[in-house]
Amino acid sequence: MASMEILENISLKQHSTMGLGGSARFACTVTSRGELAEALIWAKDHQQATLMIGTGSNIIWRDEGFDGLLIINAILGYELLEQDPGNFYLRTGAGENWDNVVARTVADGLSGIEALSLIPGTVGATPIQNVGAYGQDVSQTITTIEAYDTVLNEYVIIRGFDCGFSYRTSRFNGVEQGRFYITAVTYNLRRANPEAPYYPAVQKYFDEHSVQNVTPAILREAVIAIRTAKLPDSKIVHNSGSFFGNPIITQQLFKDIQLLYPDVPHWMVEDSVKLPAAWLIEQAGFKDVHDAETGMGTWSNQALVLVNESATTTAQLLAFKLKITDAVTGKFGIELQQEPELLPR
Ligand SMILES: Cc1cc2nc3c(=O)[nH]c(=O)nc-3n(C[C@H](O)[C@H](O)[C@H](O)COP(=O)(O)OP(=O)(O)OC[C@H]3O[C@@H](n4cnc5c(N)ncnc54)[C@H](O)[C@@H]3O)c2cc1C
């Protein structure tokens, strides 16, 4: 059996859709559990730290780079099992391209992940931040995760309800960040049509296109149309999707803001109020900005997306981020939190 190749001094720019960052001292691509075992033994023998990634669509690499072995997960696999009539379990390799998997399930008439169409990245990364969009997130369908536990040094099966899923969080990007190397994920899908109520932007699309009978394929089509109009294609424009989470603030602070901005968009979240970060960024003067000093900008159709126009270092990106967060804090007293991970930690 051919052994996987360990490469040396690899630019991390090609492993982040933002296109920034230093170098990894070593890197390898693993396509099976056997190759992952080989990589881990090699790292131990050479006393190197390890870090597993997919395609880098949620990673901002530090300019200092990563002094260790970067393990790129390319483990494939797609097995569909009908448990009861209409009730399916889909086990997928962690290195599968997420949108290809969504497309295949939709072609099979299955519902459960179709609103997550066109999200870049791999299957194995979806549990990390509980990937979500347009009314679905993966916590609703993940039943089990197969992962190599780097603390116990053995494979474990983690059940969906033990993943600590919440809005864009899980145990995998919380206290146990970096502990589990995910090799496969199983989703529970149904042969059924997605039911109303639909996410407002999706409902608007259905109304505008006179859609009556919503199938998984039609929901996927709507999400693709909405996303394509709003977001840049990360294969063409360097970006990491939403750069900030939507902040949740106290009712008192919300009332203060509403006095000055009666039309401020918001949603109630239990006793608190959630505001769209994009609105705050626009109000702070960063709508469709092209910052010559840092080579960074905000995407014309969505201010929440920071784009790398000509920046060459992560320091430039962080300087631009600071301009935005300082302006938002100065105007509204709200601290925006970065969504893509700054690595290494
Ligand atoms: C244009 C654009 C739009 C986006 N839209 C959305 C959206 O709508 N909703 C949303 O939730 N996200 C969105 N994202 C963010 C991103 O696509 C997701 O977070 C995606 O799941 C990341 O996949 P990846 O394979 O690129 O992971 P990476 O960026 O490579 O890794 C992300 C994190 O997961 C860890 N990781 C990756 N694979 C594994 C594994 N197999 N085992 C253990 N740890 C692993 C990494 O160490 C890192 O901490 C968007 C990004 C872009 C660029």
Side-chain angles (χ1 to χ4, degrees):
M1 188 184 75
S3 185
M4 40 106 237
E5 201 182 351
I6 306 271
L7 303 172
E8 212 170 335
N9 199 21
I10 293 299
S11 169
L12 288 165
K13 288 184 169 58
Q14 57 186 302
H15 294 291
S16 165
T17 52
M18 193 60 98
L20 296 172
S23 300
R25 183 154 178 214
F26 299 102
C28 67
T29 299
V30 295
T31 60
S32 65
R33 279 175 48 151
E35 287 187 351
L36 174 56
E38 268 184 64
L40 293 171
I41 290 168
W42 186 94
K44 194 170 174 214
D45 289 349
H46 293 79
Q47 296 180 330
Q48 295 297 314
T50 56
L51 174 54
M52 178 170 278
I53 65 159
T55 63
S57 62
N58 208 35
I59 296 176
I60 306 296
W61 294 109
R62 292 181 193 274
D63 290 325
E64 294 76 20
F66 174 56
D67 187 13
L69 173 65
L70 186 71
I71 303 177
I72 301 145
N73 193 316
I75 300 175
L76 303 182
Y78 185 100
E79 294 160 48
L80 196 57
L81 176 81
E82 188 163 15
Q83 181 78 5
D84 319 297
N87 184 24
F88 290 81
Y89 286 92
L90 170 67
R91 184 182 188 278
T92 44
E96 286 282 351
N97 173 280
W98 172 251
D99 191 51
N100 288 349
V101 167
V102 176
R104 275 181 84 170
T105 64
V106 166
D108 275 331
L110 301 180
S111 178
I113 54 176
E114 65 277 31
L116 307 177
S117 290
L118 222 58
I119 295 180
T122 54
V123 161
T126 61
I128 307 291
Q129 67 153 358
N130 183 19
V131 157
Y134 300 101
Q136 286 178 351
D137 63 43
V138 291
S139 75
Q140 296 160 349
T141 44
I142 287 180
T143 56
T144 53
I145 288 170
E146 176 196 277
Y148 185 79
D149 182 339
T150 60
V151 172
L152 298 179
N153 290 319
E154 63 183 24
Y155 274 93
V156 291
I157 299 289
I158 304 169
R159 290 169 299 182
F161 50 78
D162 287 331
C163 290
F165 285 131
S166 185
Y167 176 73
R168 295 296 176 277
T169 58
S170 73
R171 63 193 279 191
F172 310 115
N173 67 359
V175 280
E176 291 174 311
Q177 202 167 39
R179 170 173 173 175
F180 297 99
Y181 290 171
I182 296 170
T183 46
V185 184
T186 301
Y187 303 85
N188 182 208
L189 306 174
R190 314 198 121 260
R191 182 160 285 140
N193 284 342
E195 283 173 19
Y198 306 108
Y199 196 82
V202 172
Q203 183 61 58
K204 186 164 171 269
Y205 177 94
F206 290 157
D207 294 343
E208 283 169 3
H209 293 78
S210 307
V211 173
Q212 306 284 338
N213 182 22
V214 180
T215 62
I218 286 172
L219 181 48
R220 173 172 166 81
E221 199 180 292
V223 168
I224 289 176
I226 296 165
R227 291 185 73 100
T228 308
K230 207 173 75 171
L231 296 170
D233 180 345
S234 57
K235 289 191 208 84
I236 301 167
V237 178
H238 284 308
N239 78 96
S240 304
S242 303
F243 198 81
F244 300 103
N246 291 324
I248 295 176
I249 60 172
T250 61
Q251 295 212 26
Q252 186 52 53
L253 179 55
F254 174 68
K255 279 182 194 146
D256 294 345
I257 294 173
Q258 205 179 28
L259 271 181
L260 295 172
Y261 302 89
D263 297 332
V264 51
H266 63 282
W267 311 270
M268 295 306 295
V269 180
E270 288 161 16
D271 287 342
S272 307
V273 187
K274 197 184 214 180
L275 301 188
W279 183 86
L280 296 166
I281 294 167
E282 286 186 8
Q283 294 298 319
F286 284 87
K287 185 179 167 62
D288 197 11
V289 156
H290 307 274
D291 186 47
E293 195 185 355
T294 59
M296 295 293 306
T298 53
W299 186 241
S300 49
N301 295 337
Q302 172 54 281
L304 195 48
V305 176
L306 304 198
V307 291
N308 171 7
E309 295 177 328
S310 61
T312 51
T313 65
T314 297
Q316 289 172 295
L317 160 66
L318 296 179
F320 183 61
K321 171 193 160 182
L322 198 61
K323 289 186 189 195
I324 296 177
T325 52
D326 277 356
V328 169
T329 307
K331 204 169 172 99
F332 297 103
I334 294 174
E335 292 224 7
L336 293 179
Q337 299 301 321
Q338 180 173 326
E339 257 196 13
E341 275 181 66
L342 189 61
L343 289 178
R345 288 156 202 120

